[in-house]
Amino acid sequence: MTPNPDWQEILRAAHNDPLDPAHYTAVRARVLAELERAHNPWRRLAWISGAGALAAALLLAIALQHRPTLPPLPEVAAAIPAAPAAPAVRERPIQTAVARPAPRRHRQPLTIKLQTSDPNIVIYWIAD
Amino acid sequence: MSIPADAPDGCTALDAARAGDLAAFDCLMRQYERLVLVTALRLTGSLPDAQDISQDVFLKLYRNLPKLDPACLSSWLYRVTVNACHDRRRRRRPEDPVDFAEQLPAAAADPQQTLAAAERRRVLALSLRMLPEKERAALVLRDLEGLSTQETAHILGCTEATVRSQVSKARVKVKDFVERYFRRRT
């Protein structure tokens, strides 16, 4: 550096020093990434919904894995006996005659004897 | 030097970018990236801040493409960049340290030259740092970017007289600083 330089020349030279192209590239990449993101909202939505579905599937898988398992049911040792064979029924010819009303049988009335605490009192309840 | 002319191929890229062609917008950014990033770097003094501001400026450019006049594109970009730098400076709390530009050289050169260039950049960064915001913007646009007083006034939204006054004050301060800096070193 000269001891008494032209200050304007120095500043202009410094100002015109080229910047590293990587700095420009970084800015352009950031801008384009931002614009791409804004241009494709559906893609972002698809990503979000896909991630949501994946998370839901994972949660479901975890929940199924951690479900308490019941012990197996004990086997029943006793065997159920076979039902007895039905007795043979002899078929009767069907009667076409008009069924008469069954004769009314005389039945004994139902009598219930109720004893009270007083031995002298006994209640009889006769139900027909 | 004045505001860089907005080239005809820039117009074609502008038309395609308006139609949503991102490759065309990439071409447009390549055409104006130096203007935006270097101006922001001089005004903020910080490369990460300048990159953030450049990103915001280009996103704003994309949103405003339909209503922009291609002939005024450079002027519009300067104005938006300067305003974005002022906004960032206002948002930044005073106690926040500003990492002052230590820009990297574009290519490895002779070590002596590299050292001299690094010193020049340091002097530039330090001299701009001590200037008030408005004087700095006027000096960067008028003396470093080489715009006319009229163009600088249009971009900064003030009168030409104000620009002349601000540039004059800034030059006195910077000259004094640079001379003291080199006197102390010898």
Side-chain angles (χ1 to χ4, degrees), chain A residues 12 15 23 28 30 39, chain B residues 33 42 52 55 62 145:
Chain A
R12 276 203 203 105
H15 181 67
H23 299 322
R28 271 188 279 117
R30 280 159 59 178
H39 266 232
Chain B
E33 61 190 1
R42 297 297 168 240
D52 287 351
Q55 182 184 351
Y62 189 81
E145 284 291 296

Side-chain angles (χ1 to χ4, degrees), chain B residues 46-59:
Chain B
S46 152
L47 187 59
D49 282 356
Q51 284 182 313
D52 287 351
I53 287 168
S54 300
Q55 182 184 351
D56 292 347
V57 169
F58 282 124
L59 288 173

Side-chain angles (χ1 to χ4, degrees), chain B residues 46-149:
Chain B
S46 152
L47 187 59
D49 282 356
Q51 284 182 313
D52 287 351
I53 287 168
S54 300
Q55 182 184 351
D56 292 347
V57 169
F58 282 124
L59 288 173
K60 208 168 184 176
L61 170 66
Y62 189 81
R63 282 196 295 270
N64 286 281
L65 278 177
K67 51 186 173 187
L68 268 177
D69 177 5
C72 304
L73 198 52
S74 300
S75 172
W76 185 88
L77 283 169
Y78 273 126
R79 190 164 55 247
V80 173
T81 305
V82 169
N83 289 341
C85 292
H86 289 344
D87 286 349
R88 180 163 284 245
R89 197 177 168 80
R90 266 177 231 124
R91 276 204 307 270
R92 187 186 286 280
R93 288 175 302 172
E95 64 268 27
D96 283 356
V98 177
D99 150 38
F100 249 77
E102 196 44 65
Q103 78 195 51
L104 297 171
D110 170 32
Q112 185 95 23
Q113 283 179 357
T114 310
L115 212 64
E119 186 157 36
R120 275 200 310 263
R121 286 195 299 272
R122 184 174 160 73
V123 172
L124 173 65
L126 290 174
S127 54
L128 290 178
R129 186 183 192 175
M130 63 169 193
L131 293 177
E133 195 177 48
K134 287 184 177 173
E135 288 178 17
R136 185 189 310 161
L139 188 85
V140 166
L141 295 178
R142 181 74 186 85
D143 280 3
L144 301 182
E145 284 291 296
L147 305 186
S148 68
T149 305

Side-chain angles (χ1 to χ4, degrees), chain A residues 1 3 5 7-8 10-20 23-24 26-28 30-32 34-36 39, chain B residues 25-26 29-30 33-34 37-38 42 47 51-52 55 59 62 106 116 119-121 143-145 171 174-175 178 182:
Chain A
M1 283 273 162
W7 66 273
Q8 276 181 315
I10 290 172
L11 297 193
R12 276 203 203 105
H15 181 67
N16 292 327
D17 273 352
L19 272 181
D20 188 343
H23 299 322
Y24 297 118
V27 171
R28 271 188 279 117
R30 280 159 59 178
V31 172
L32 289 176
E34 189 74 29
L35 291 177
E36 294 251 2
H39 266 232
Chain B
F25 188 66
D26 187 41
M29 281 197 291
R30 283 172 195 270
E33 61 190 1
R34 192 221 148 266
L37 185 63
V38 172
R42 297 297 168 240
L47 187 59
Q51 284 182 313
D52 287 351
Q55 182 184 351
L59 288 173
Y62 189 81
E119 186 157 36
R120 275 200 310 263
R121 286 195 299 272
D143 280 3
L144 301 182
E145 284 291 296
R171 280 175 185 163
V174 170
K175 179 175 184 284
V178 175
F182 285 108

Side-chain angles (χ1 to χ4, degrees), chain A residues 93-125:
Chain A
I94 299 164
Q95 290 179 351
T96 51
V98 178
R100 283 177 298 175
R104 220 176 149 180
R105 281 188 294 175
H106 181 72
R107 279 203 244 163
Q108 288 288 327
L110 178 68
T111 307
I112 299 168
K113 182 182 175 184
L114 300 171
Q115 284 184 326
T116 62
S117 54
D118 188 348
N120 296 325
I121 297 172
V122 176
I123 300 169
Y124 286 97
W125 180 26

